[in-house]
Amino acid sequence: MKAEIIAVGTELLMGQIVNTNAQYLARGLADIGVGVYFQTVVGDNASRIKEALRLAKSRVDLIICTGGLGPTQDDLTKDVLAEVLGQSLVIHQPSLDKMKTLFEGRGIPMVESNMRQALMLEHSDPLANDTGLAVGNAVTHEGTHYILLPGPPKEMKPMFDRYARPWIESKMDHVQPLYSLMLKFAGIGESSLEHALIDLIEAQSDPTIAPYAKEGEVAIRLTTRAASADEAAGRLKPLEQEIRSRLGEYIYAAEDISLEQHILQTLASQGKKLAVAESCSGGQLSDMLTSVPGSSDAFVGGIISYSNTAKHKLLKIPMEQLEGDGAPGAISEETAAAMAENVAELTGADYGVSITGVAGPGESEGKPIGLVYVGIARRGEKASVVKLQQSGNRETIKLRASKSSLYHLWKLLKS
Amino acid sequence: MKAEIIAVGTELLMGQIVNTNAQYLARGLADIGVGVYFQTVVGDNASRIKEALRLAKSRVDLIICTGGLGPTQDDLTKDVLAEVLGQSLVIHQPSLDKMKTLFEGRGIPMVESNMRQALMLEHSDPLANDTGLAVGNAVTHEGTHYILLPGPPKEMKPMFDRYARPWIESKMDHVQPLYSLMLKFAGIGESSLEHALIDLIEAQSDPTIAPYAKEGEVAIRLTTRAASADEAAGRLKPLEQEIRSRLGEYIYAAEDISLEQHILQTLASQGKKLAVAESCSGGQLSDMLTSVPGSSDAFVGGIISYSNTAKHKLLKIPMEQLEGDGAPGAISEETAAAMAENVAELTGADYGVSITGVAGPGESEGKPIGLVYVGIARRGEKASVVKLQQSGNRETIKLRASKSSLYHLWKLLKS
């Protein structure tokens, strides 16, 4: 089945908001084996919406419209589709009843225009809106499937997942449920990962293999359709084994969790605590860790030693090590080791992780932008230090340094 | 002038990435008075790109394509446009020379396919790529203007702003240059700001008034076209004065800089230093501050006291204050004050800022999610503490707490 997504809304055309709905729908459709061939954005203008619908009808089997289902005179999608298909609009009574109850409950009068949100095409299937007022529509006409969804993502997403997607699947032949397996990687970049799996990716059919990369993490999702979980496992497992035989050392989880979440769970399950000492990453590692709900079970805190003063006063590193002729300096193996060891010692945490380097925009201590040392220490033991040369701008170097430190901590925890 | 934006890329169609380029371009075009009538996304497929170009030609005057300028066989945009316009592709020598120099500098051989990035349409204007390798193109053919930009936002944005936008303006009739004024606000939300200015926003014509909100900051941009800077100022200044008379206490800058950047510049110009003590914000405030290039001139560092252990061992707060019957606890005015005072004392910084509160997902110390105390201290003086009740999820609470602490520091620095 070939699909087109049409987003209706002048606020999208003007750039006031980003069309995140298109991404969400494209992914959801890919999951059920529907390919999206075009995405279009049109304004709240009847003739241009009509043009977009007619064009889409000429080139795809499934047209999904988002937006334009609201109460105002600018919300035209249903009216235009009704005209294009030669149908009337009728009231969807359950939606109207729900709306009346809601307004009564709030004690405010229901403006007449709100009733527009309960309208649906005469010969369509209503799609319930569990998180809003405008009812969705699904209709097949002359072999083309049309779906109308609301624009606000908090209404669009549940309506698509709960009602539109099953409706689409019901129109597809012989559709079995989908089973997926997510493999999460650390310590390997997107291009190296693709390189190692390129034969599998290029030859994929069933299961499908989709690489994902964002914010310093890479993942692979394996997906298949099967009559049962056992049958799915019979196809997913051999492929997973093949990938593990090539890249197993980089796989930290077979579920969709972040590396920081995985590490914090591991630590918490062992009753262990972590502290960090950050220089060039400037708090980003701590911020990542504390973005995980429940992180306080394993994360004690740490020190942002952004200056030599802080490295000396807070982390107790001798000034002679940081400054002066022949000193290793703040950006050195010695200082990374001392930062990791000392932060564990000072806080009593079981593990100390440190990051020191040059995020730019200029060099520091005559050392190049992107040079980063990561230190990992068990409390009371000598730290191991890894020297990295990161590329990219200030933001990228901070992010990669933070993610790298997590990778090296993960390796220690595994060993 | 009517425009269409065509984004080329299967990764967009599949939902692997969001089409943020369309938003950026739509805003940039609106700024120069060009209306975007359609946005389209097509995959890396020659016949569908061709179809999209032909359709766009039939309905707009300006077609901007993003993506498909890279080195691989999937990058087809230039080839397809060349075919549609009946032109050849030729090497843009400066782009090729730059590429050669770059590869030589890195000591790696230049793969032949990279040369594709230096190709341009025979009768077009090249658009320099200051942040990447693929040269852009601008060409007028049979009255339609075509612009080809790279897909990666970090290449697309500077190329559009520096080269494509002026090129488009040069094709417009009687266009006077644009003058804008950005007013940046702190300590006021988007809806309060709009409420205070709603009459001006609704009655706007020239200058235009555009509110912007992102990541806890709000801004207003005033824009006008004029023959000279003086003429522009004659229109912008009275409006700025009107806005200042209503909301002046919240305006921290009349240029597009972040609050953290403004504060760090102010501190650096006074030779003052800042240290922070973060509990519930977990490093986000430090991360924000250190995202500003040159932040080390004023930011010393700080302590992430995510546990009572860290508050006690690193920040020297007595355990009796943090725990036990009748103790104020970690989330209290007393502790916020001690955190700010102590971090300034311990680091020798001139100012200490602290954040302690409940980011969720559960309550803490029996105190509700969203309760946050912010402490601001001059070293050696008593801290002032502000109690806040934030709403939202964990991420939002962390972000708002961090931004609020900056707002209160800014108020102190102003006073």
Side-chain angles (χ1 to χ4, degrees), chain B residues 206-255:
Chain B
D206 179 22
T208 57
I209 306 178
Y212 288 83
K214 67 167 183 177
E215 293 177 7
E217 292 214 349
V218 289
I220 295 270
R221 193 173 53 185
L222 313 179
T223 306
T224 189
R225 286 192 181 277
S228 69
D230 278 356
E231 189 189 316
R235 286 200 287 275
L236 294 172
K237 277 285 161 197
L239 187 54
E240 180 189 354
Q241 286 315 321
E242 178 59 33
I243 294 171
R244 283 189 182 272
S245 74
R246 300 184 190 190
L247 298 170
E249 61 183 310
Y250 303 107
I251 298 175
Y252 69 81
E255 57 177 322

Side-chain angles (χ1 to χ4, degrees), chain B residues 297-331:
Chain B
D297 292 345
F299 182 60
V300 174
I303 290 168
I304 314 297
S305 54
Y306 211 60
S307 59
N308 283 347
T309 307
K311 287 184 189 73
H312 175 58
K313 291 196 173 179
L314 300 179
L315 273 173
K316 312 301 174 195
I317 298 176
M319 280 309 284
E320 311 85 74
Q321 177 176 333
L322 299 170
E323 293 175 7
D325 283 353
I331 300 145

Side-chain angles (χ1 to χ4, degrees), chain A residues 292-322:
Chain A
V292 177
S295 47
S296 54
D297 293 344
F299 182 60
V300 175
I303 289 168
I304 313 296
S305 54
Y306 210 61
S307 59
N308 284 346
T309 307
K311 287 184 190 73
H312 176 58
K313 292 196 174 178
L314 300 178
L315 275 173
K316 314 300 176 194
I317 298 176
M319 280 308 285
E320 310 85 75
Q321 178 176 333
L322 299 169

Side-chain angles (χ1 to χ4, degrees), chain A residues 2 5 12-20 22-24 26-27 30 36-43 48 51-52 55 58-59 210-213 276 278-296 299-307 309-310 313-314 343 345-348 360-361 393-395 398, chain B residues 2 5 12-20 22-24 26-27 30 36-43 48-49 51-52 55 58-59 154 276 278-296 299-311 313-314 316 343 345-348 360-361 394-395 398:
Chain A
K2 290 164 72 170
I5 300 168
L12 286 165
L13 272 191
M14 302 272 291
Q16 284 158 8
I17 56 174
V18 177
N19 189 6
T20 54
Q23 180 187 39
Y24 191 85
R27 286 194 175 187
V36 174
Y37 283 67
F38 297 92
Q39 295 172 8
T40 304
V41 180
V42 285
R48 286 195 285 274
E51 180 188 334
L55 176 65
S58 73
R59 57 190 186 184
Y212 288 84
V276 304
E278 299 189 63
S279 183
C280 71
S281 55
Q284 186 162 27
L285 174 58
S286 300
D287 188 28
M288 268 181 202
L289 288 163
T290 60
S291 291
V292 177
S295 47
S296 54
F299 182 60
V300 175
I303 289 168
I304 313 296
S305 54
Y306 210 61
S307 59
T309 307
K313 292 196 174 178
L314 300 178
V343 81
E345 200 56 46
L346 287 164
T347 57
N393 61 17
R394 187 177 174 86
E395 281 306 299
K398 284 179 69 178
Chain B
K2 290 164 71 169
I5 298 168
L12 286 166
L13 272 191
M14 302 272 292
Q16 286 160 7
I17 54 174
V18 177
N19 189 7
T20 54
Q23 180 187 39
Y24 190 85
R27 285 193 175 187
V36 174
Y37 282 68
F38 297 93
Q39 295 172 8
T40 304
V41 180
V42 284
R48 287 196 283 276
I49 298 170
E51 180 187 332
L55 176 66
S58 74
R59 59 190 186 185
K154 80 174 177 52
V276 304
E278 299 188 63
S279 183
C280 71
S281 54
Q284 186 161 27
L285 174 57
S286 300
D287 189 27
M288 266 181 203
L289 289 163
T290 61
S291 292
V292 177
S295 46
S296 53
F299 182 60
V300 174
I303 290 168
I304 314 297
S305 54
Y306 211 60
S307 59
N308 283 347
T309 307
K311 287 184 189 73
K313 291 196 173 179
L314 300 179
K316 312 301 174 195
V343 81
E345 200 58 45
L346 287 164
T347 58
R394 186 177 175 83
E395 283 305 298
K398 283 179 70 178

Side-chain angles (χ1 to χ4, degrees), chain A residues 24 50 59 70 110 115 117 139 159 164 177 191 236 255 259 274-275 282-283 288 290 304 338 344-345 348 405:
Chain A
Y24 191 85
K50 205 178 296 176
R59 57 190 186 184
M110 192 175 88
M115 281 182 58
Q117 300 184 87
V139 56
M159 188 185 290
S191 56
L236 293 172
E255 58 177 320
L259 181 56
L274 170 67
M288 268 181 202
T290 60
I304 313 296
E345 200 56 46
S405 73

